[in-house]
Amino acid sequence: MRLKKIKPLRNRMALRHLPNKKLLITTINAHSYNVSRKDAGFARALQKSDVLIADGASVVWSIQMLQKRKVQRIAGADLFRFEMKRLQNIGGVSFFLGSSESTLDKIRERAAKEYPNVRIETYSPPYKPDFSDDDNREMIEAINAVKPDVLFIGMTAPKQEKWALKHMEYLDVKHIGCIGAVFDFYAGNKNRAPKWMQNAGLEWLHRFSSEPGRLWKRYLVGNALFVSHLVGETLSHDKDE
């Protein structure tokens, strides 16, 4: 997977034109790109997704540099808001898969106030590195019993993308959005960066300053690694990487 090859959705307006059928929607930022370079399963999930959105400013800038085309940053939170407003207008059904019961309770409570026309269903899977066949079967059965218009998955990357791709054919859903941290943002467990930082491409700095002990490696080491990948691709003349 290479930055010079990826084709993220051009802008937020394009979300309005997504077909109302089963679609896997994933996001990419500097961290997830770094992970994809060493995790073939994750790279495959991103490449096989029907819609890829540029969640990170660094990815947006890289595409502009390598591909000479402009794309708009669309955060996972932007995708979430768009889908919930769409469901509000049609009286649709959303399903939240992931996180703890307490977080899901907060999501249900807030969504019931902000999107009263949307039916909210949730499922909290067990916390473990790998799900058993029974775990997967129970999750799929819970989702298919509802047949949601939008399935939001919040298990963090790369687990959520790999799970979605592996089980997509068994899911009776339409849009599948892998939105990770949005669960905690919307539940109020964590705060997003101020709007000016989002617009300036500094949302990563806000997250890093909020949890430096946990995220220093992702952002300090990871950003340097991402730049090294970018430089490598800029200097590379390979036609099929």
Side-chain angles (χ1 to χ4, degrees):
M1 184 169 185
R2 296 294 183 267
L3 290 165
K4 63 173 64 173
K5 299 288 187 182
I6 63 174
K7 300 294 181 186
L9 203 64
R10 184 174 295 274
N11 53 41
R12 295 190 185 98
M13 186 70 72
L15 291 172
R16 300 181 181 181
H17 302 293
L18 296 180
N20 189 28
K21 64 178 186 179
K22 188 185 291 187
L23 295 176
L24 175 57
I25 307 172
T26 59
T27 67
I28 185 167
N29 54 33
H31 173 66
S32 58
Y33 178 75
N34 289 340
V35 174
S36 76
R37 293 295 298 262
K38 56 185 180 183
D39 185 333
F42 182 43
R44 182 172 181 272
L46 295 179
Q47 291 171 316
K48 290 288 185 180
S49 61
D50 300 288
V51 181
L52 182 66
I53 62 176
D55 174 66
S58 53
V59 171
V60 170
W61 296 332
S62 299
I63 291 172
Q64 187 168 349
M65 179 184 299
L66 294 169
Q67 302 184 19
K68 310 302 181 189
R69 71 187 186 97
K70 292 183 178 180
V71 297
Q72 184 179 25
R73 179 177 180 244
I74 307 173
D78 298 325
L79 172 66
F80 169 75
R81 288 288 187 184
F82 170 82
E83 292 284 26
M84 290 299 284
K85 288 179 182 176
R86 184 174 68 86
L87 297 184
Q88 170 71 9
N89 291 333
I90 64 173
V93 181
S94 65
F95 194 106
F96 293 78
L97 175 67
S99 200
S100 65
E101 286 290 359
S102 63
T103 294
L104 295 175
D105 286 343
K106 294 175 184 176
I107 290 173
R108 276 194 296 267
E109 182 177 352
R110 181 174 176 181
K113 295 176 182 175
E114 296 186 344
Y115 306 101
N117 292 338
V118 181
R119 177 182 167 191
I120 309 294
E121 298 289 343
T122 64
Y123 188 93
S124 177
Y127 276 97
K128 55 174 69 172
D130 298 301
F131 296 126
S132 67
D133 289 342
D134 286 342
D135 294 331
N136 291 323
R137 177 181 51 76
E138 289 173 7
M139 283 188 275
I140 292 169
E141 287 179 354
I143 294 164
N144 289 348
V146 176
K147 298 179 174 57
D149 297 289
V150 181
L151 168 63
F152 295 115
I153 305 180
M155 300 176 187
T156 72
K159 188 176 184 179
Q160 60 194 12
E161 289 83 1
K162 293 163 77 172
W163 189 92
L165 180 64
K166 182 177 180 180
H167 301 286
M168 187 172 175
E169 65 178 302
Y170 307 111
L171 295 173
D172 192 358
V173 304
K174 291 180 179 172
H175 293 183
I176 304 170
C178 299
I179 57 174
V182 176
F183 279 43
D184 278 328
F185 291 146
Y186 193 67
N189 296 338
K190 297 178 181 178
N191 295 321
R192 280 196 77 189
K195 200 68 177 178
W196 71 268
M197 294 187 80
Q198 296 178 33
N199 294 338
L202 295 173
E203 190 159 11
W204 68 271
L205 183 59
H206 175 81
R207 294 190 68 181
F208 168 60
S209 61
S210 301
E211 299 180 83
R214 187 176 74 86
L215 297 176
W216 70 269
K217 188 173 182 180
R218 171 186 296 193
Y219 290 118
L220 298 185
V221 178
N223 286 356
L225 179 61
F226 181 83
V227 171
S228 73
H229 289 314
L230 177 59
V231 171
E233 290 198 42
T234 302
L235 298 176
S236 171
H237 297 290
D238 292 344
K239 294 181 179 180
D240 186 22
E241 294 180 280

